[in-house]
Amino acid sequence: MDYQRLAQILFPDITRTIEDYELLYPPRQLPEGAMVTRIGPSPTGFIHLGNLYNALIGERLARQSQGVFFLRIEDTDAKREVPGAVEIILDALGFFGVVFDEGATIQGDKGAYGPYRQRLRKEIYQTVAKKLVEQGLAYPCFATEEELATMRQKQIEQKLNFGYYGVWATYRNTNLEEIERRLQQGQSYVLRFRSQGNPEHSVKVLDGIRGELELQENYQDFVLLKSDGIPTYHFAHVVDDHFMRTTHVVRGEEWLATAPMHVQVFDALGWNRPIYCHSAQLMKMDGEIKRKLSKRKDPELALAYYQQEGYVPAAIWEYLLTVLNSNFEEWRLANPKANIMDFPFSLEKMSTSGALFDLLKLNDISKEVILNMSAQEIYTQLLLWAKNYDPSFAALLESDAGYAQRIIDVGRQGERPRKDLICWRQARDFLSFYYDETFTIEDSLPANITDALRKEIITKYLATLDYNDTQEQWFAKVKTICQDLGFALQAKKYQKNPQDYPGSIVDLSNTIRMALSGRLNSPDLWQISMILGKDRCIRRLKQFAENGDNFASTPA
Ligand code: GLU
């Protein structure tokens, strides 16, 4: 077979050669040991934790070794693409503070190894494909959908391995005349790799996380170019990571099974293989069962979830590092204030079995991270979140930045600082009562506090309330009201003999708390009274005395 001629017939318009591209994309001039890494998300509109997880690995490896980390948009599957998906990817990763040295950006591509969107690289793939045809390592396959379905059916019946190989590879030895005849008829074809592999043989694949793996050699004549000339993932990965000079291919473990196909193409072309780093699947505990995170069942798989809820990106990094490197927590204990970027991340400390993702643990870390932020930092991030997700709340925050920072700081000092904030959505709910515009009565008083008692408590409280009092004087007055109304001064006493009292001091202060905050749980009553200020407190107290739970929000 005249492969040169076949190559010319299949790719008449390809005039460049692989050598041209070798010159165009020369080996990178980087310090010894520098790693070149990338992520290759597909623009499907759904960007998930797995993408961020791999980005974090790639980013750390490149950054720590003074290498390069880039973003490649893997858009070979036009059917799955949604408009605006590249923006979604950039926005989500940007939110998490992932910074690329090169790659696709909103303004276009940045870097000397582009284009960084696969559909713009068609000519490069075809140049490499042409070379493989010239070497007799690729051939056109005209099999129709029906032919392939029949083949599969027979393989099922005969209990054979699926796929296009051996006797099943019917177009593998089609002669040139026949190929030309079919092409003249305008028959569509895919370009297949002519695998030299043997299923009895194994191939060694170097994995930076898992060590040297021995896998079954690929024996399938898999598709390199689809009928529209666009490559499959398998081919695009090899071509791109070669010409983009990737040294470490960080990708999900779902690609492990097809790695033998990839190394076969690298070898066939005489190219150096990259080091693969197949990261473990993200799993979660669902009751007693450990399972993969699922797009359908687990909203926390989507990066958009963390943006919408208003998680602090630093907390997610912190958490993902605990999942990624088994020694991170120990390092954090020893270096509580250190910058996360100073942690020596390593592939050796990565787990190879499924990585367990635990939202509760992430939430604990988030609380800690928020606790360590200043009120000013919280204000800035909360406002940014609110501008996107709750503009009316953002307007309230902006209307008086000083007030906003004071309410943010309530209960965050002292020996046992309040540590309940996980994300900005929660902060918004938490802070809503400080603003008349969002204040509502959310809880109900316990049954022992009758309407009459409620009115009496608040009337007495209002009568003695003096904003010049110290906290001690104020509390002494609360106790006096307690005694006057026959309430137990200790909750325990009331619990033991409820028939002897209308309630305890807890019920009494909760009545005032409900008036001021609309909730049974709030930060310290004295503190919130001071922050809300005299006029607002008196107004709310009167309103609560009057209406109790039947509160209709009436902004001042
Ligand atoms: N587009 C592939 C994916 O989204 C990228 C895999 C890789 O990084 O090589 O899974």
Side-chain angles (χ1 to χ4, degrees):
M1 160 88 92
D2 183 349
Y3 293 129
Q4 294 291 335
R5 186 163 154 67
L6 177 60
Q8 200 48 41
I9 294 171
L10 295 178
F11 301 103
D13 300 332
I14 295 297
T15 51
R16 283 188 166 171
T17 63
I18 290 193
E19 289 67 38
D20 293 333
Y21 286 113
E22 294 291 352
L23 290 175
L24 195 58
Y25 305 118
R28 295 170 181 270
Q29 298 300 313
L30 294 170
E32 174 93 22
M35 300 183 185
V36 179
T37 58
R38 86 298 186 270
I39 56 164
S42 298
T44 58
F46 183 68
I47 172 138
H48 53 84
L49 265 184
N51 297 118
L52 182 65
Y53 184 72
N54 286 333
L56 190 46
I57 303 171
E59 194 272 353
R60 288 291 78 208
L61 293 180
R63 216 54 85 223
Q64 286 182 176
S65 64
Q66 286 154 6
V68 175
F69 174 53
F70 66 89
L71 170 68
R72 180 170 69 225
I73 301 296
E74 306 216 327
D75 56 1
T76 54
D77 190 353
K79 278 198 285 309
R80 291 177 60 217
E81 185 161 343
V82 303
V86 174
E87 283 72 17
I88 295 176
I89 293 172
L90 290 166
D91 179 58
L93 293 171
F95 170 78
F96 287 101
V98 176
V99 177
F100 297 101
D101 302 304
E102 294 172 9
T105 74
I106 299 280
Q107 293 81 28
D109 282 0
K110 168 181 139 196
Y113 289 80
Y116 296 90
R117 297 170 201 238
Q118 290 181 326
R119 279 225 294 280
L120 300 178
R121 301 172 63 78
K122 198 167 167 180
E123 197 183 321
I124 310 177
Y125 305 121
Q126 299 206 343
T127 304
V128 180
K130 185 173 184 181
K131 174 79 175 185
L132 289 172
V133 175
E134 284 170 2
Q135 292 177 320
L137 288 172
Y139 64 91
C141 164
F142 298 89
T144 59
E145 294 284 332
E146 296 75 54
E147 277 175 78
L148 293 174
T150 313
M151 171 185 94
R152 195 180 162 84
Q153 192 52 40
K154 286 189 186 150
Q155 288 170 340
I156 293 177
E157 282 160 18
Q158 296 173 33
K159 296 198 167 57
L160 292 170
N161 290 335
F162 291 144
Y164 203 87
Y165 62 94
V167 295
W168 304 99
T170 37
Y171 292 89
R172 185 173 162 119
N173 297 313
T174 309
N175 65 38
L176 195 55
E177 279 150 41
E178 175 68 11
I179 293 175
E180 282 194 273
R181 192 183 62 75
R182 287 179 181 263
L183 289 175
Q184 266 155 22
Q185 286 177 357
Q187 288 191 19
S188 101
Y189 69 90
V190 299
L191 193 78
R192 287 187 184 269
F193 185 59
R194 193 190 303 272
S195 173
Q196 310 295 310
N198 179 338
E200 312 282 310
H201 294 169
S202 61
V203 59
K204 291 197 169 117
V205 176
L206 186 59
D207 188 298
I209 301 170
R210 292 150 201 264
E212 191 173 67
L213 303 169
E214 233 177 288
L215 305 168
Q216 186 189 41
E217 216 169 63
N218 169 60
Y219 58 97
Q220 300 267 350
D221 284 1
F222 60 88
V223 175
L224 300 171
L225 295 179
K226 296 180 266 187
S227 55
D228 54 3
I230 296 287
T232 54
Y233 166 79
H234 311 300
F235 190 46
H237 146 55
V238 174
V239 173
D240 291 344
D241 285 317
H242 172 70
F243 284 125
M244 294 178 167
R245 309 292 172 182
T246 308
T247 63
H248 291 68
V249 170
V250 178
R251 61 183 185 186
E253 101 183 290
E254 66 275 19
W255 296 109
L256 195 57
T258 46
M261 292 160 50
H262 309 146
V263 297
Q264 218 172 31
V265 182
F266 273 106
D267 295 355
L269 288 159
W271 291 346
N272 287 337
R273 300 178 187 177
I275 296 173
Y276 288 96
C277 303
H278 289 104
S279 62
Q281 281 276 357
L282 283 174
M283 314 285 277
K284 79 179 267 183
M285 291 309 292
D286 192 349
E288 297 290 293
I289 297 161
K290 194 170 166 183
R291 63 162 173 81
K292 273 196 260 176
L293 278 169
S294 121
K295 183 174 169 182
R296 199 170 44 82
K297 293 190 207 151
D298 309 310
E300 73 268 27
L301 181 59
L303 291 191
Y305 171 82
Y306 303 92
Q307 285 177 281
Q308 284 155 12
E309 293 298 298
Y311 274 82
V312 181
I316 313 251
W317 277 68
E318 181 100 17
Y319 175 61
L320 285 182
L321 278 173
T322 68
V323 178
L324 281 169
N325 259 195
S326 52
N327 55 332
F328 178 79
E329 283 180 89
E330 203 181 309
W331 177 86
R332 180 44 99 204
L333 279 176
N335 306 279
K337 296 268 177 267
N339 187 319
I340 217 167
M341 302 302 167
D342 294 335
F343 169 69
F345 176 80
S346 72
L347 288 173
E348 292 73 34
K349 299 279 189 220
M350 283 185 65
S351 127
T352 51
S353 56
L356 203 58
F357 183 80
D358 180 351
L359 197 56
L360 295 178
K361 182 136 186 219
L362 166 64
N363 289 346
D364 279 346
I365 289 180
S366 296
K367 288 179 190 171
E368 204 64 46
V369 167
I370 293 181
L371 185 66
N372 286 319
M373 288 167 70
S374 68
Q376 164 119 44
E377 277 175 287
I378 296 179
Y379 176 72
T380 309
Q381 287 207 30
L382 174 63
L383 181 60
L384 199 67
W385 173 84
K387 280 185 172 167
N388 280 319
Y389 296 99
D390 190 344
S392 57
F393 181 56
L396 290 176
L397 288 172
E398 272 184 316
S399 65
D400 186 345
Y403 181 69
Q405 288 182 36
R406 282 201 304 283
I407 64 177
I408 284 169
D409 238 3
V410 170
R412 288 175 16 97
Q413 287 81 17
E415 284 189 3
R416 290 178 53 212
R418 204 184 82 210
K419 206 168 122 177
D420 41 13
L421 284 187
I422 293 170
C423 59
W424 304 138
R425 182 181 300 283
Q426 237 193 12
R428 179 208 53 191
D429 296 344
F430 197 78
L431 298 177
S432 63
F433 74 86
Y434 288 106
Y435 294 98
D436 290 332
E437 290 83 346
T438 45
F439 169 69
T440 53
I441 303 290
E442 293 177 11
D443 296 331
S444 302
L445 283 173
N448 57 319
I449 305 300
T450 59
D451 282 353
L453 265 179
R454 182 189 78 237
K455 285 187 185 166
E456 228 179 324
I457 292 169
I458 293 187
T459 310
K460 281 196 181 299
Y461 182 71
L462 274 169
T464 61
L465 190 61
D466 181 348
Y467 264 76
N468 294 317
D469 284 346
T470 62
Q471 185 170 1
E472 287 69 33
Q473 288 168 328
W474 166 81
F475 192 51
K477 285 181 177 173
V478 172
K479 284 204 241 173
T480 308
I481 302 173
C482 227
Q483 278 161 334
D484 287 353
L485 294 174
F487 278 64
L489 274 177
Q490 280 133 10
K492 267 196 216 128
K493 278 195 177 162
Y494 170 62
Q495 274 157 15
K496 262 194 203 152
N497 299 302
Q499 69 286 354
D500 295 349
Y501 310 91
S504 77
I505 188 161
V506 174
D507 298 318
L508 190 127
S509 47
N510 274 349
T511 307
I512 302 166
R513 190 185 305 283
M514 280 283 289
L516 300 183
S517 72
R519 312 161 184 204
L520 289 170
N521 263 316
S522 80
D524 181 79
L525 198 47
W526 164 258
Q527 274 195 49
I528 64 171
S529 305
M530 291 299 111
I531 291 228
L532 287 168
K534 184 175 169 186
D535 292 347
R536 185 163 13 211
C537 285
I538 291 177
R539 192 168 3 97
R540 288 190 187 179
L541 285 160
K542 284 184 176 161
Q543 202 164 36
F544 191 63
E546 191 68 23
N547 303 319
D549 302 358
N550 298 321
F551 172 83
S553 173
T554 46

